[in-house]
Amino acid sequence: APVAAGIPSLAALITRVDCPPALLSRAIDAAFRLGTPQHAQMLASFAKRRDPTPKHRAIALRALGDWAHPPLLDRVNGLWRPTITVGRAEPTAAPAAGTGNPLLDRAASATPATRLTALPLLPEDLGRSASYDEATALKRNLAPAQRAFLRVADEILNPSTPDEFGVVVPGDPAPLEVQLALVDTAAALRTKEASQPLFEKFSQTNTPIALRRAIIGFLAQVNAFQAADAVRLALADRDTSLRTAALPHLDRLEASTALPVLRPLLQPGTPTPVVQAAYAALARLGNADADPLIAEGLQQLLTGTLPPELHLDVLSASETRQQAAPGLKAGREQWLARIPTNDPMALRMPVLRGGDAGRGAVLFKNHPQVQCLRCHKIAGDGGTVGPSLDGIGKLRDRMYLLESIVRPNQAYAEGFKPAEGGLSAMPEGLADLLSPMELRDLLEFLSSLK
């Protein structure tokens, strides 16, 4: 249980240069939980220092980003400790029975004969715990975090920027991890004031590509007037990933400007991720002039000349625009007419190619409903309910992998066949919990496990 009286002293440790690194995450969290304007400034000042590790500087920045929406679980140990904003001067009483922890509620309602153990004696203060309804209803004032962040953002981005005392301390730029956290925090705090310095950073050709990609997203999210210029610069860049990152934000440009940019991206020779993003951008433009470009892709699909990696993208774009464009609706109906109505696999054939293995890995590990990692192990990590998937991409083709997700009771890995009449431990319907794009990414990830 937390020692509430010690939290202010713990938070103060981030002001000391001799704070043991092992305590920094807890000290940052203590300052975040206390949540006063002074603690917001402490976190910001810590983030601009050069002596802590980049990891801890990034954690401090992201704590500022979470200021208005504190997580219900403790940031350090994952326990239920929602932050509340009342009674800071005095310890907050523990929640009444029936309003907080459902496990304790169940234990309290059990009769002594069925209760396995005595109820724990809870401390008077549970680290400012609250009921779920109370914790989700309360909001913290965002302004202190915004002010603290803006005071240090320029100094973190550009070491030649004078600090609040007018002093310039020469040094190298902040590590990339810290700069990426700064962009994420600017977006979370919706600090539009950071748009100009971040756009200047974006415009410098020696800025890391990962940082330039993040800045584009921030400028679009806060509706900065620099967003259109950033999109134009990114689309003219030679880096494929930067051009791809800009395409979702083509709506920042006028349709008359966006279409001439998109049209050449659909030509043969353009990297597949760029073409995929271009079709998605065409659908989002919602402009009738974009429909003929989607129709051309749909015609290529019907004639068999469209690369398999683009099948899902063209179908998705045509589905989005089919109500406004009768020609696209007719083309989709022609494609659907070729699909056997009794074959659940046929409709999913477009997901076989064109996915992103990186995004698929994230889905495999973190998707809240599918939760592949709970049953399958990769490189020693994961569960044992299902077979290990190490090397599965070398052992099985994409069709087998797809069918094992869509129809898990059709084939079984060695040693995992259920008893006579039983069903696979992998439930039916998992594929329906994923969008077609997600299923394609997951399949690409599994295929990459050689």
Side-chain angles (χ1 to χ4, degrees), residues 44-118:
S45 298
F46 174 85
K48 78 172 184 179
R49 280 168 41 191
R50 297 170 189 168
D51 54 294
T53 66
K55 171 187 174 182
H56 288 109
R57 294 174 66 185
I59 291 174
L61 283 170
R62 290 197 164 95
L64 286 174
D66 289 339
W67 201 259
H69 305 283
L72 301 180
L73 300 182
D74 188 284
R75 296 163 61 91
V76 175
N77 57 32
L79 297 179
W80 169 261
R81 287 182 65 201
T83 301
I84 62 175
T85 58
V86 295
R88 294 194 181 282
E90 299 294 335
T92 303
T99 62
N101 189 319
L103 297 179
L104 288 181
D105 294 344
R106 187 188 310 165
S109 65
T111 62
T114 60
R115 188 182 298 156
L116 297 179
T117 59

Side-chain angles (χ1 to χ4, degrees), residues 221-312:
Q221 181 175 334
V222 300
N223 200 27
F225 73 86
Q226 299 94 338
D229 289 334
V231 170
R232 291 189 188 96
L233 289 173
L235 291 174
D237 198 273
R238 290 183 296 178
D239 186 87
T240 297
S241 65
L242 185 60
R243 291 159 62 196
T244 304
L247 289 175
H249 309 297
L250 275 175
D251 56 347
R252 302 293 162 178
L253 306 178
E254 296 291 336
S256 59
T257 303
L259 287 174
V261 171
L262 288 169
R263 186 174 289 107
L265 299 182
L266 304 180
Q267 302 304 312
T270 305
T272 295
V274 175
V275 184
Q276 291 174 335
Y279 276 116
L282 285 170
R284 281 194 300 271
L285 279 178
N287 186 281
D289 293 334
D291 294 334
L293 297 179
I294 301 175
E296 290 178 16
L298 193 54
Q299 185 60 33
Q300 293 174 28
L301 173 64
L302 293 171
T303 58
T305 58
L306 186 72
E309 293 81 3
L310 301 177
H311 285 191
L312 183 59

